[in-house]
Amino acid sequence: AVYVADWYQHALLAIDPQKRIVTGSVEVGKAPSGIAITPDGSLIVTADRESDALSFINAADFKRTGSVSVGTHPFGLAIDRAGQRAYVANVISNDVTVVDLKTRQSLATVKVGARPYMIAVTQDKAFVTKQGNSTVSVIDLASNAVIKTMKVGDYPEGIAADEAGKYIYVSCWSDNSIV
């Protein structure tokens, strides 16, 4: 299935890509934006921007099993490779919330500043685009501390890491570039 956040209906949709039909819908928090799936495919997490929360959806029966409060206006969301923690960029509170997926509790809040938007996680680091100052913050996953900030193009939005975690790709909206 392909999962799509329906911002206006406050739902997560499951779509069959072969048949091109909606096969399921589950109500989540208000204005879902980011979606992440655990590596084993058992849990789907949405960042519910207007609810300031994450929703948890059991992939097997496509039912919402709970939520947890995070920072203000969560948007970008990523899950670590072990499937144990979720990392969400909170646009208005200028931080990243770290959530334990087993207990479904917030473990840490990492201040990153300047409108964090999207996030990519490698084996030992999280990389957060920040629209407010055209940078990417690097968070050490062991200490949940910012260890570096890098200047990138204007208004960075999308971010991805290669499988080995050696390269990070950032798409910058205002200057139409990838760095």
Side-chain angles (χ1 to χ4, degrees), residues 18-114:
Q18 306 300 335
K19 296 179 182 176
R20 299 181 184 185
I21 60 169
V22 175
T23 58
S25 178
V26 61
E27 186 176 326
V28 294
K30 293 179 183 172
S33 54
I35 303 168
I37 304 167
T38 55
D40 68 3
S42 67
L43 182 67
I44 307 163
V45 183
T46 62
D48 305 329
R49 182 180 158 147
E50 300 302 320
S51 296
D52 298 333
L54 299 183
S55 287
F56 305 104
I57 299 94
N58 181 323
D61 63 8
F62 210 57
K63 300 223 184 283
R64 184 177 186 214
T65 59
S67 65
V68 63
S69 294
V70 294
T72 308
H73 284 171
F75 198 85
L77 174 65
I79 293 175
D80 69 5
R81 293 181 180 191
Q84 297 176 347
R85 293 182 178 175
Y87 298 82
V88 62
N90 303 303
V91 178
I92 301 300
S93 55
N94 296 322
D95 53 31
V96 170
T97 304
V98 182
V99 174
D100 182 300
L101 293 177
K102 185 175 181 178
T103 65
R104 299 185 179 178
Q105 299 294 313
S106 174
L107 295 175
T109 300
V110 183
K111 283 291 189 187
V112 293

